[in-house]
Amino acid sequence: MENPFKFGTIVEADYFTDRIKEVAYIKEFVKSANHLILISPRRFGKSSVVAKAVKESKRKSITVNLQKVTSVSDLSAKLLRELFKIHPLKRLKHLIKHFRIIPMVSTNPLTGSMDVSFQPGVDETVLIEDVLTIIEKSHSEKDRIIVVLDEFQEIRDLAPNLDKQLRSIMQEQKHINYIMLGSQESMMTDIFENKKSPFYHFGELKRLGKLPREDFHQYLSKRMKDVFPKDCDIIADKILDYTVCHPYYSQQLAANVWQTAVLQTNTDDAVATAIGYIVSSHGLDYERLWMNLNRTNRWILQRLASNKPLQSGEYRTSTIYSALKRLQKDGYVIYTDRYELEDPFFRQWIVEEM
């Protein structure tokens, strides 16, 4: 039997978990000429939701993850490379002739894909403007393209005033729907909700929360039925109780529980066995993370892991608040209706080491 759970990459097809309303919303939204901003903590599935919605819309699309971009020149090259996947170079030659800095384009003989680069030291403001212009001009109002920019908050670290330049270009474009995704809520909110920001009210802002427990339970239970025909509902509840319905970690734990049930048929508690295996296998990574934390951050994570109040008098409120914001930015802590550790297995490790 094939493991019915998948995690760690963009999830689609049979591995996709619910999000029916969100997918339908995005598909309908991009029929307009407006832009969408989607915010959620890391690993909540926003990239998978958008990928599914874009695919079902049957529209042409380009996706670039800004966490994998090293410079404005690299961003320009990646955007142009994605455009060549949609339109052959021959069709775009007449537009590329108008580039002020001509890109170096080559074909990978093994994959047939186009590779794009620019000479070092060129004017990057010219590059990004030319690339965004060719994406616009190669489409029409009846054939708008969707450009997905994942982890958009990274734009602030690429170059000074890049946000101002991008906004000045994007606000004039009529043939592109932009979808900006971000996992740093405070930074994304500042980019799109701060009146002083160039991207203030650039598009519709939507937040992606955890999956509704009832829907997630049904998804897990259905797929656990082959290995737990009588206890699939109980197993689903145990998984969601432990992960607090976190999409990524629920899939990870479910995959390991399923594997445990297949390989260790005599296990009394497959969920506990799977948790133990995951915590143990990541033990060295967690130890390295822990050693790089200062004492204040360690104290906060210990309190959160053991469900103890943070307002205990040991630290000032301002100190706790600042530390929580840093831990959020670094991905250790998330906030939904309360502050909690992002990784339930790291939480388990902390409790066991306390």
Side-chain angles (χ1 to χ4, degrees):
M1 290 187 291
E2 183 181 353
N3 196 316
F5 302 102
K6 183 180 179 182
F7 62 96
T9 59
I10 289 181
V11 178
E12 55 186 15
D14 292 340
Y15 296 104
F16 193 81
T17 316
D18 193 60
R19 298 293 193 190
I20 296 171
K21 292 180 180 178
E22 290 88 343
V23 170
Y25 175 86
I26 295 170
K27 283 170 58 181
E28 188 64 30
F29 186 88
V30 294
K31 290 179 182 178
S32 71
N34 299 309
H35 311 300
L36 179 66
I37 297 98
L38 189 61
I39 304 175
S40 78
R42 293 184 314 127
R43 298 171 175 173
F44 265 42
K46 57 186 175 296
S47 299
S48 296
V49 169
V50 170
K52 184 175 177 64
V54 169
K55 184 177 181 179
E56 290 187 2
S57 75
K58 297 182 180 179
R59 296 259 300 280
K60 297 184 181 73
S61 67
I62 288 172
T63 299
V64 174
N65 187 330
L66 269 65
Q67 281 189 334
K68 299 178 181 179
V69 170
T70 57
S71 65
V72 178
S73 177
D74 186 35
L75 172 60
S76 304
K78 281 182 167 62
L79 286 168
L80 197 54
R81 192 180 304 130
E82 291 298 310
L83 184 64
F84 287 150
K85 292 179 182 179
I86 301 171
H87 301 297
L89 179 59
K90 186 183 295 186
R91 179 181 170 183
L92 299 176
K93 270 188 175 180
H94 70 288
L95 293 174
I96 292 178
K97 287 179 181 179
H98 297 288
F99 270 36
R100 287 162 288 180
I101 300 171
I102 303 299
M104 294 176 285
V105 181
S106 59
T107 304
N108 187 316
L110 297 177
T111 64
S113 62
M114 305 295 292
D115 192 24
V116 181
S117 60
F118 295 95
Q119 288 186 347
V122 297
D123 188 342
E124 292 186 323
T125 60
V126 170
L127 291 183
I128 193 66
E129 184 175 354
D130 282 352
V131 169
L132 290 178
T133 298
I134 195 176
I135 295 173
E136 165 80 359
K137 287 186 175 181
S138 58
H139 296 87
S140 65
E141 284 196 52
K142 293 183 179 180
D143 180 34
R144 287 196 313 275
I145 187 172
I146 300 171
V147 175
V148 180
L149 298 175
D150 207 345
E151 299 299 347
F152 186 76
Q153 72 275 348
E154 301 294 324
I155 206 76
R156 287 187 164 179
D157 293 330
L158 284 181
N161 300 316
L162 179 59
D163 53 351
K164 292 180 181 179
Q165 184 192 8
L166 290 182
R167 176 62 191 261
S168 66
I169 298 168
M170 293 175 176
Q171 67 185 6
E172 300 295 330
Q173 295 179 320
K174 299 178 181 178
H175 307 154
I176 302 175
N177 285 112
Y178 285 100
I179 301 180
M180 281 88 159
L181 315 182
S183 59
Q184 300 291 340
E185 182 169 2
S186 59
M187 292 177 67
M188 288 289 287
T189 302
D190 189 54
I191 291 171
F192 294 104
E193 294 293 289
N194 187 336
K195 290 184 178 181
K196 295 181 180 179
S197 170
F199 276 97
Y200 174 66
H201 283 187
F202 177 73
E204 180 76 17
L205 193 150
K206 185 175 178 64
R207 287 177 170 82
L208 188 69
K210 292 179 180 179
L211 283 163
R213 180 168 178 125
E214 184 177 343
D215 295 338
F216 212 167
H217 182 278
Q218 184 178 356
Y219 169 87
L220 295 174
S221 179
K222 181 180 178 181
R223 284 156 180 76
M224 285 292 180
K225 204 162 189 176
D226 286 339
V227 288
F228 298 100
K230 296 180 180 179
D231 298 327
C232 55
D233 287 334
I234 295 173
I235 296 296
D237 276 327
K238 284 185 175 182
I239 291 170
L240 296 177
D241 286 344
Y242 185 82
T243 61
V244 201
C245 293
H246 191 295
Y248 175 89
Y249 295 110
S250 297
Q251 288 272 16
Q252 182 183 14
L253 181 53
N256 277 273
V257 169
W258 191 94
Q259 196 71 18
T260 299
V262 170
L263 298 177
Q264 303 179 36
T265 54
N266 295 325
T267 302
D268 292 332
D269 192 337
V271 176
T273 301
I275 291 170
Y277 170 76
I278 295 170
V279 173
S280 175
S281 62
H282 290 283
L284 289 177
D285 296 326
Y286 292 148
E287 187 173 353
R288 280 192 287 267
L289 291 175
W290 189 257
M291 295 304 294
N292 288 322
L293 295 169
N294 63 37
R295 293 186 181 279
T296 305
N297 289 343
R298 291 180 188 179
W299 179 84
I300 287 175
L301 293 181
Q302 285 178 334
R303 303 291 289 190
L304 292 176
S306 56
N307 292 316
K308 293 180 181 178
L310 295 175
Q311 301 295 345
S312 63
E314 293 184 57
Y315 288 95
R316 294 179 181 176
T317 300
S318 58
T319 301
I320 294 172
Y321 180 77
S322 297
L324 283 169
K325 288 301 177 184
R326 287 195 302 271
L327 289 168
Q328 270 188 285
K329 184 178 180 181
D330 293 339
Y332 294 105
V333 170
I334 60 173
Y335 182 84
T336 49
D337 55 343
R338 61 186 178 88
Y339 286 106
E340 58 187 277
L341 267 75
E342 191 258 356
D343 182 347
F345 306 110
F346 187 31
R347 180 186 67 210
Q348 182 83 22
W349 182 89
I350 292 172
V351 170
E352 290 177 0
E353 294 293 320
M354 284 172 61

